[in-house]
Amino acid sequence: MLVQQILSSKHSDAVVTTTADTSITDVLRVLSEHRIGGVVVSPDGTAIDGILSERDIVRALAARGPSCLEQTASALMTPNPVCCAKDDTADSVLSRMTEGRFRHMPVVQDGRLVGIVTIGDVVKARLSELSMEKSALEGMIMGH
Ligand code: AMP
């Protein structure tokens, strides 16, 4: 299975982004409104400055308290996130997420942001693939 197939199976291919100068309070609003755990930090929706996850905000809250809410996305984001391409395999994405201990991966084409996959998207797609393989094998064994 390829990243392209995972993107096609998602309800929406829109990527939620925020700009580097957005306050953490506003980023929290975006995460809550869209019911997501991370946003790509981008000046224009296609170039990637970094990625900011709820975990970055939780860590900053624990370390510095509520004053971190007045900081900007650029202060808490991870710059140069690990990205993947549409023709990467789901397994390679899963390995990189597991090794890097992150759950979000921007998808890039020609240096532009074209999608995002989460560990949930990848696991869902793999489970559906395994279920289809199981049905096909059962069909072969039963002679259907
Ligand atoms: P997550 O598990 O995705 O919520 O993120 C956990 C940590 O990894 C946070 O510090 C994120 O900023 C960072 N992170 C998330 N996605 C990526 C990525 N694709 N590449 C590098 N770091 C990431």
Side-chain angles (χ1 to χ4, degrees):
M1 169 163 297
L2 301 179
V3 167
Q4 170 66 70
Q5 290 161 278
I6 299 173
L7 289 180
S8 313
S9 70
K10 288 177 63 161
H11 293 303
S12 161
D13 55 2
V15 187
V16 179
T17 65
T18 194
T19 54
D21 59 357
T22 304
S23 74
I24 298 303
T25 300
D26 286 340
V27 171
L28 283 174
R29 220 165 267 140
V30 170
L31 295 177
S32 168
E33 273 165 17
H34 293 271
R35 297 172 179 272
I36 54 175
V39 278
V40 174
V41 182
S42 166
D44 55 7
T46 59
I48 300 176
D49 288 339
I51 195 159
L52 179 60
S53 127
E54 55 199 357
R55 290 197 178 169
D56 298 311
I57 302 175
V58 168
R59 270 192 225 118
L61 274 171
R64 296 196 283 284
S67 64
C68 75
L69 300 176
E70 286 151 36
Q71 288 187 284
T72 56
S74 60
L76 303 192
M77 72 182 188
T78 302
N80 307 314
V82 178
C83 298
C84 62
K86 284 182 175 179
D87 57 2
D88 283 346
T89 64
D91 283 347
S92 80
V93 168
L94 211 43
S95 301
R96 278 178 277 169
M97 284 179 168
T98 308
E99 278 159 25
R101 294 178 181 274
F102 47 76
R103 300 164 297 173
H104 301 83
M105 202 183 280
V107 185
V108 170
Q109 189 171 34
D110 301 326
R112 294 159 59 95
L113 176 68
V114 292
I116 189 159
V117 287
T118 68
I119 200 157
D121 297 330
V122 183
V123 169
K124 189 172 162 219
R126 284 291 285 132
L127 284 176
S128 140
E129 191 179 43
L130 287 171
S131 163
M132 283 190 293
E133 281 172 12
K134 179 174 170 276
S135 300
L137 285 171
E138 279 172 354
M140 283 165 65
I141 292 165
M142 310 287 275
H144 294 155

